[in-house]
Amino acid sequence: MPLGIKTLTRYTIEEEHRHPGSSGEFSALVNVLATATKIIANRVTRGAIVGSYDPDESEAEADPTAHRRLDAVANEVMLSQTRWTGHLAGLLSEQMPAVTPVPETHRRGKYLLAFDPLDGSSNIDVNLPVGTIFSVLRAGAAAGRELVDTDFLQPGVEQVCAGFTLYGPATMLVLTTGDGVDGFTLDREIGAFVLTHPRMRIPQDTSGFAINAANDRFWDRPVRRYVHECLDGVDGPRGRYFNMRWVASLVADTFHILTRGGVYLYPYDSRPPTRQGRVALLYGANPIAFIVEQAGGAATTGTERVLDLTPDSVHQRVPLIFGSRTEVERIERYHREPEEGPGFDRSLFGSRSLFRPAGH
């Protein structure tokens, strides 16, 4: 191993030494999570070999969609690697309808874990990036009694730790414990995550945004106003060109913003069935918002800071807009302004929207 390289294990031990009296339980949990994501990385890189092939399964029984099987595989890896360690009192997964208490046969710890085992899993079939998102909360009284859903209903500001692993050309782990954001790359030769992106910071200004433009007709007017102003480029009120992209993988878009800047929008929309939002609060929006704010960015629903929201259910979904602070603040301002406010151009919102003919 090269001299001076800092592994995740060394990183967590050094962080522990900065907090006299630390029990080491939290550091151990972080390393357990890292181990789980290394196992998932191995499964993901095998793609359909793991996802849809079972020699004991008949052709009629086989699931032809690799991501469905890999969702279940990733979820089982997270459960099997974390619930026996003694660090957790319970777990919440995107793949399970209710919270899962640590079995009585295992020692219960002082933390709760909420996670999406394979964010962007529909990308597996086309070999695009996916990832694992996780959030660590304090268990409080739940450490000594039967776990209930309400134990997880804590606002995002209560998070102890948040992170995600991106399974792309390289496997990346991004982590915050409330003192900045650090990025690690999995070195497969030594089998460890090593610190490669210390103190990640999101640029305050940007000329890029990520949104699924196919949903334009369902957006609220403030979001449509923002997007159209960006698309108007140098001829519009922004006076410069913007780039638009959409990976359909929250972790991939987040990592892009952490390294190059930008703004991500998955806003409220009116598609049936009408829902408040599309991103899971506890194991999606909250951990991403925690990371983004610690990197100098901002995260909002359009009208409220994400980390201030008090969850009303474990699988609650919310709108999510995050990234470079100046752009997020602009979008929030557009939500506060009346529809006929300064700069509002009704002609932007014709029935053809993004694809209206020139001159209309």
mmCIF file of all heavy atoms in Angstrom, residues 3-32:
data_model
loop_
_atom_site.group_PDB
_atom_site.id
_atom_site.type_symbol
_atom_site.label_atom_id
_atom_site.label_comp_id
_atom_site.label_asym_id
_atom_site.label_seq_id
_atom_site.Cartn_x
_atom_site.Cartn_y
_atom_site.Cartn_z
ATOM 1 N N LEU A 3 2.646 4.770 0.652
ATOM 2 C CA LEU A 3 2.766 5.543 1.885
ATOM 3 C C LEU A 3 1.821 6.740 1.846
ATOM 4 O O LEU A 3 1.649 7.394 0.816
ATOM 5 C CB LEU A 3 4.207 6.017 2.053
ATOM 6 C CG LEU A 3 5.260 4.916 2.297
ATOM 7 C CD1 LEU A 3 6.647 5.523 2.317
ATOM 8 C CD2 LEU A 3 4.965 4.181 3.593
ATOM 9 N N GLY A 4 1.198 7.030 2.980
ATOM 10 C CA GLY A 4 0.343 8.200 3.076
ATOM 11 C C GLY A 4 -1.089 7.978 2.666
ATOM 12 O O GLY A 4 -1.935 8.855 2.871
ATOM 13 N N ILE A 5 -1.400 6.827 2.077
ATOM 14 C CA ILE A 5 -2.775 6.570 1.675
ATOM 15 C C ILE A 5 -3.648 6.405 2.920
ATOM 16 O O ILE A 5 -3.212 5.822 3.920
ATOM 17 C CB ILE A 5 -2.850 5.319 0.769
ATOM 18 C CG1 ILE A 5 -4.169 5.302 -0.004
ATOM 19 C CG2 ILE A 5 -2.700 4.045 1.576
ATOM 20 C CD1 ILE A 5 -4.197 4.260 -1.095
ATOM 21 N N LYS A 6 -4.831 6.973 2.876
ATOM 22 C CA LYS A 6 -5.716 6.917 4.051
ATOM 23 C C LYS A 6 -6.926 6.061 3.717
ATOM 24 O O LYS A 6 -7.759 6.421 2.898
ATOM 25 C CB LYS A 6 -6.149 8.314 4.475
ATOM 26 C CG LYS A 6 -7.023 8.318 5.726
ATOM 27 C CD LYS A 6 -7.408 9.718 6.164
ATOM 28 C CE LYS A 6 -6.247 10.468 6.750
ATOM 29 N NZ LYS A 6 -6.679 11.753 7.375
ATOM 30 N N THR A 7 -7.026 4.916 4.358
ATOM 31 C CA THR A 7 -8.183 4.049 4.170
ATOM 32 C C THR A 7 -9.355 4.552 5.009
ATOM 33 O O THR A 7 -9.177 5.362 5.936
ATOM 34 C CB THR A 7 -7.866 2.604 4.581
ATOM 35 O OG1 THR A 7 -7.615 2.575 5.996
ATOM 36 C CG2 THR A 7 -6.660 2.067 3.828
ATOM 37 N N LEU A 8 -10.532 4.051 4.701
ATOM 38 C CA LEU A 8 -11.713 4.424 5.477
ATOM 39 C C LEU A 8 -11.552 3.999 6.936
ATOM 40 O O LEU A 8 -11.962 4.733 7.848
ATOM 41 C CB LEU A 8 -12.960 3.785 4.869
ATOM 42 C CG LEU A 8 -14.271 4.064 5.592
ATOM 43 C CD1 LEU A 8 -14.627 5.548 5.558
ATOM 44 C CD2 LEU A 8 -15.413 3.226 4.985
ATOM 45 N N THR A 9 -10.958 2.844 7.165
ATOM 46 C CA THR A 9 -10.730 2.384 8.553
ATOM 47 C C THR A 9 -9.853 3.362 9.313
ATOM 48 O O THR A 9 -10.170 3.761 10.442
ATOM 49 C CB THR A 9 -10.086 0.986 8.551
ATOM 50 O OG1 THR A 9 -10.952 0.065 7.886
ATOM 51 C CG2 THR A 9 -9.830 0.519 9.976
ATOM 52 N N ARG A 10 -8.747 3.778 8.695
ATOM 53 C CA ARG A 10 -7.872 4.765 9.352
ATOM 54 C C ARG A 10 -8.611 6.085 9.557
ATOM 55 O O ARG A 10 -8.494 6.721 10.614
ATOM 56 C CB ARG A 10 -6.620 4.989 8.492
ATOM 57 C CG ARG A 10 -5.717 6.108 9.002
ATOM 58 C CD ARG A 10 -4.513 6.302 8.088
ATOM 59 N NE ARG A 10 -3.839 7.555 8.377
ATOM 60 C CZ ARG A 10 -2.821 8.042 7.666
ATOM 61 N NH1 ARG A 10 -2.378 7.366 6.615
ATOM 62 N NH2 ARG A 10 -2.267 9.185 7.985
ATOM 63 N N TYR A 11 -9.388 6.484 8.567
ATOM 64 C CA TYR A 11 -10.148 7.734 8.641
ATOM 65 C C TYR A 11 -11.102 7.721 9.836
ATOM 66 O O TYR A 11 -11.177 8.685 10.611
ATOM 67 C CB TYR A 11 -10.914 7.908 7.335
ATOM 68 C CG TYR A 11 -11.916 9.033 7.285
ATOM 69 C CD1 TYR A 11 -11.551 10.300 6.837
ATOM 70 C CD2 TYR A 11 -13.258 8.820 7.636
ATOM 71 C CE1 TYR A 11 -12.482 11.329 6.759
ATOM 72 C CE2 TYR A 11 -14.187 9.836 7.571
ATOM 73 C CZ TYR A 11 -13.791 11.083 7.130
ATOM 74 O OH TYR A 11 -14.723 12.097 7.049
ATOM 75 N N THR A 12 -11.845 6.632 9.991
ATOM 76 C CA THR A 12 -12.822 6.573 11.090
ATOM 77 C C THR A 12 -12.129 6.505 12.452
ATOM 78 O O THR A 12 -12.621 7.066 13.431
ATOM 79 C CB THR A 12 -13.772 5.370 10.925
ATOM 80 O OG1 THR A 12 -12.996 4.166 10.794
ATOM 81 C CG2 THR A 12 -14.638 5.538 9.689
ATOM 82 N N ILE A 13 -10.992 5.828 12.522
ATOM 83 C CA ILE A 13 -10.251 5.771 13.793
ATOM 84 C C ILE A 13 -9.726 7.157 14.166
ATOM 85 O O ILE A 13 -9.812 7.585 15.324
ATOM 86 C CB ILE A 13 -9.095 4.753 13.695
ATOM 87 C CG1 ILE A 13 -9.654 3.332 13.623
ATOM 88 C CG2 ILE A 13 -8.156 4.892 14.896
ATOM 89 C CD1 ILE A 13 -8.610 2.270 13.355
ATOM 90 N N GLU A 14 -9.187 7.883 13.174
ATOM 91 C CA GLU A 14 -8.694 9.229 13.453
ATOM 92 C C GLU A 14 -9.821 10.155 13.889
ATOM 93 O O GLU A 14 -9.644 10.994 14.780
ATOM 94 C CB GLU A 14 -7.988 9.782 12.218
ATOM 95 C CG GLU A 14 -6.647 9.116 11.932
ATOM 96 C CD GLU A 14 -5.952 9.686 10.713
ATOM 97 O OE1 GLU A 14 -6.570 10.524 10.008
ATOM 98 O OE2 GLU A 14 -4.793 9.309 10.445
ATOM 99 N N GLU A 15 -10.986 10.012 13.242
ATOM 100 C CA GLU A 15 -12.136 10.814 13.643
ATOM 101 C C GLU A 15 -12.557 10.481 15.068
ATOM 102 O O GLU A 15 -12.911 11.364 15.851
ATOM 103 C CB GLU A 15 -13.305 10.572 12.680
ATOM 104 C CG GLU A 15 -13.127 11.161 11.298
ATOM 105 C CD GLU A 15 -13.056 12.672 11.338
ATOM 106 O OE1 GLU A 15 -13.953 13.297 11.929
ATOM 107 O OE2 GLU A 15 -12.075 13.233 10.794
ATOM 108 N N GLU A 16 -12.494 9.215 15.415
ATOM 109 C CA GLU A 16 -12.846 8.773 16.771
ATOM 110 C C GLU A 16 -11.899 9.374 17.810
ATOM 111 O O GLU A 16 -12.328 9.783 18.895
ATOM 112 C CB GLU A 16 -12.783 7.246 16.808
ATOM 113 C CG GLU A 16 -13.174 6.626 18.133
ATOM 114 C CD GLU A 16 -13.047 5.121 18.085
ATOM 115 O OE1 GLU A 16 -13.408 4.535 17.042
ATOM 116 O OE2 GLU A 16 -12.569 4.558 19.081
ATOM 117 N N HIS A 17 -10.613 9.477 17.468
ATOM 118 C CA HIS A 17 -9.630 10.034 18.403
ATOM 119 C C HIS A 17 -9.872 11.512 18.675
ATOM 120 O O HIS A 17 -9.426 12.042 19.693
ATOM 121 C CB HIS A 17 -8.217 9.837 17.853
ATOM 122 C CG HIS A 17 -7.766 8.411 17.872
ATOM 123 N ND1 HIS A 17 -6.636 7.959 17.219
ATOM 124 C CD2 HIS A 17 -8.305 7.320 18.489
ATOM 125 C CE1 HIS A 17 -6.506 6.660 17.428
ATOM 126 N NE2 HIS A 17 -7.500 6.247 18.196
ATOM 127 N N ARG A 18 -10.579 12.169 17.755
ATOM 128 C CA ARG A 18 -10.894 13.589 17.952
ATOM 129 C C ARG A 18 -12.045 13.789 18.931
ATOM 130 O O ARG A 18 -12.381 14.922 19.278
ATOM 131 C CB ARG A 18 -11.238 14.242 16.613
ATOM 132 C CG ARG A 18 -10.059 14.299 15.645
ATOM 133 C CD ARG A 18 -10.377 15.191 14.444
ATOM 134 N NE ARG A 18 -9.278 15.206 13.505
ATOM 135 C CZ ARG A 18 -9.203 14.472 12.411
ATOM 136 N NH1 ARG A 18 -10.205 13.645 12.111
ATOM 137 N NH2 ARG A 18 -8.171 14.538 11.596
ATOM 138 N N HIS A 19 -12.665 12.697 19.342
ATOM 139 C CA HIS A 19 -13.803 12.779 20.261
ATOM 140 C C HIS A 19 -13.516 11.908 21.480
ATOM 141 O O HIS A 19 -13.906 10.728 21.513
ATOM 142 C CB HIS A 19 -15.096 12.328 19.569
ATOM 143 C CG HIS A 19 -15.468 13.166 18.382
ATOM 144 N ND1 HIS A 19 -14.950 12.939 17.123
ATOM 145 C CD2 HIS A 19 -16.295 14.237 18.273
ATOM 146 C CE1 HIS A 19 -15.455 13.828 16.279
ATOM 147 N NE2 HIS A 19 -16.263 14.632 16.955
ATOM 148 N N PRO A 20 -12.822 12.444 22.465
ATOM 149 C CA PRO A 20 -12.494 11.671 23.664
ATOM 150 C C PRO A 20 -13.756 11.074 24.298
ATOM 151 O O PRO A 20 -14.802 11.712 24.365
ATOM 152 C CB PRO A 20 -11.850 12.712 24.588
ATOM 153 C CG PRO A 20 -11.322 13.765 23.661
ATOM 154 C CD PRO A 20 -12.305 13.824 22.523
ATOM 155 N N GLY A 21 -13.638 9.854 24.721
ATOM 156 C CA GLY A 21 -14.777 9.181 25.327
ATOM 157 C C GLY A 21 -15.618 8.403 24.339
ATOM 158 O O GLY A 21 -16.572 7.717 24.726
ATOM 159 N N SER A 22 -15.284 8.476 23.054
ATOM 160 C CA SER A 22 -16.024 7.734 22.044
ATOM 161 C C SER A 22 -15.883 6.238 22.284
ATOM 162 O O SER A 22 -14.794 5.737 22.590
ATOM 163 C CB SER A 22 -15.508 8.089 20.652
ATOM 164 O OG SER A 22 -16.110 7.270 19.681
ATOM 165 N N SER A 23 -16.982 5.526 22.125
ATOM 166 C CA SER A 23 -16.980 4.082 22.373
ATOM 167 C C SER A 23 -16.456 3.287 21.192
ATOM 168 O O SER A 23 -16.137 2.100 21.327
ATOM 169 C CB SER A 23 -18.404 3.612 22.693
ATOM 170 O OG SER A 23 -19.245 3.762 21.548
ATOM 171 N N GLY A 24 -16.387 3.915 20.018
ATOM 172 C CA GLY A 24 -15.970 3.199 18.816
ATOM 173 C C GLY A 24 -17.112 2.513 18.104
ATOM 174 O O GLY A 24 -16.929 1.946 17.019
ATOM 175 N N GLU A 25 -18.313 2.547 18.694
ATOM 176 C CA GLU A 25 -19.461 1.854 18.104
ATOM 177 C C GLU A 25 -19.857 2.463 16.766
ATOM 178 O O GLU A 25 -20.146 1.752 15.800
ATOM 179 C CB GLU A 25 -20.636 1.906 19.087
ATOM 180 C CG GLU A 25 -21.817 1.049 18.673
ATOM 181 C CD GLU A 25 -22.879 0.966 19.763
ATOM 182 O OE1 GLU A 25 -22.572 1.286 20.921
ATOM 183 O OE2 GLU A 25 -24.017 0.592 19.429
ATOM 184 N N PHE A 26 -19.844 3.791 16.692
ATOM 185 C CA PHE A 26 -20.234 4.447 15.446
ATOM 186 C C PHE A 26 -19.212 4.170 14.341
ATOM 187 O O PHE A 26 -19.576 3.868 13.198
ATOM 188 C CB PHE A 26 -20.388 5.948 15.657
ATOM 189 C CG PHE A 26 -20.670 6.704 14.396
ATOM 190 C CD1 PHE A 26 -21.905 6.608 13.786
ATOM 191 C CD2 PHE A 26 -19.695 7.480 13.808
ATOM 192 C CE1 PHE A 26 -22.166 7.286 12.605
ATOM 193 C CE2 PHE A 26 -19.944 8.172 12.641
ATOM 194 C CZ PHE A 26 -21.186 8.074 12.023
ATOM 195 N N SER A 27 -17.925 4.249 14.665
ATOM 196 C CA SER A 27 -16.879 3.965 13.684
ATOM 197 C C SER A 27 -17.016 2.548 13.150
ATOM 198 O O SER A 27 -16.853 2.300 11.949
ATOM 199 C CB SER A 27 -15.488 4.144 14.314
ATOM 200 O OG SER A 27 -15.308 5.467 14.754
ATOM 201 N N ALA A 28 -17.309 1.627 14.030
ATOM 202 C CA ALA A 28 -17.485 0.238 13.610
ATOM 203 C C ALA A 28 -18.677 0.103 12.672
ATOM 204 O O ALA A 28 -18.621 -0.641 11.680
ATOM 205 C CB ALA A 28 -17.665 -0.656 14.831
ATOM 206 N N LEU A 29 -19.758 0.832 12.959
ATOM 207 C CA LEU A 29 -20.940 0.776 12.099
ATOM 208 C C LEU A 29 -20.613 1.282 10.695
ATOM 209 O O LEU A 29 -21.023 0.684 9.693
ATOM 210 C CB LEU A 29 -22.071 1.600 12.712
ATOM 211 C CG LEU A 29 -23.336 1.756 11.849
ATOM 212 C CD1 LEU A 29 -23.936 0.402 11.501
ATOM 213 C CD2 LEU A 29 -24.356 2.632 12.559
ATOM 214 N N VAL A 30 -19.879 2.386 10.601
ATOM 215 C CA VAL A 30 -19.504 2.927 9.287
ATOM 216 C C VAL A 30 -18.717 1.899 8.491
ATOM 217 O O VAL A 30 -18.943 1.706 7.287
ATOM 218 C CB VAL A 30 -18.694 4.230 9.446
ATOM 219 C CG1 VAL A 30 -18.110 4.668 8.099
ATOM 220 C CG2 VAL A 30 -19.577 5.330 10.024
ATOM 221 N N ASN A 31 -17.806 1.202 9.146
ATOM 222 C CA ASN A 31 -17.014 0.201 8.436
ATOM 223 C C ASN A 31 -17.846 -1.023 8.052
ATOM 224 O O ASN A 31 -17.592 -1.644 7.007
ATOM 225 C CB ASN A 31 -15.801 -0.198 9.280
ATOM 226 C CG ASN A 31 -14.694 0.847 9.211
ATOM 227 O OD1 ASN A 31 -13.992 0.954 8.211
ATOM 228 N ND2 ASN A 31 -14.555 1.635 10.270
ATOM 229 N N VAL A 32 -18.840 -1.355 8.848
ATOM 230 C CA VAL A 32 -19.757 -2.433 8.480
ATOM 231 C C VAL A 32 -20.557 -2.044 7.230
ATOM 232 O O VAL A 32 -20.737 -2.849 6.308
ATOM 233 C CB VAL A 32 -20.705 -2.763 9.652
ATOM 234 C CG1 VAL A 32 -21.864 -3.629 9.180
ATOM 235 C CG2 VAL A 32 -19.946 -3.476 10.764
#
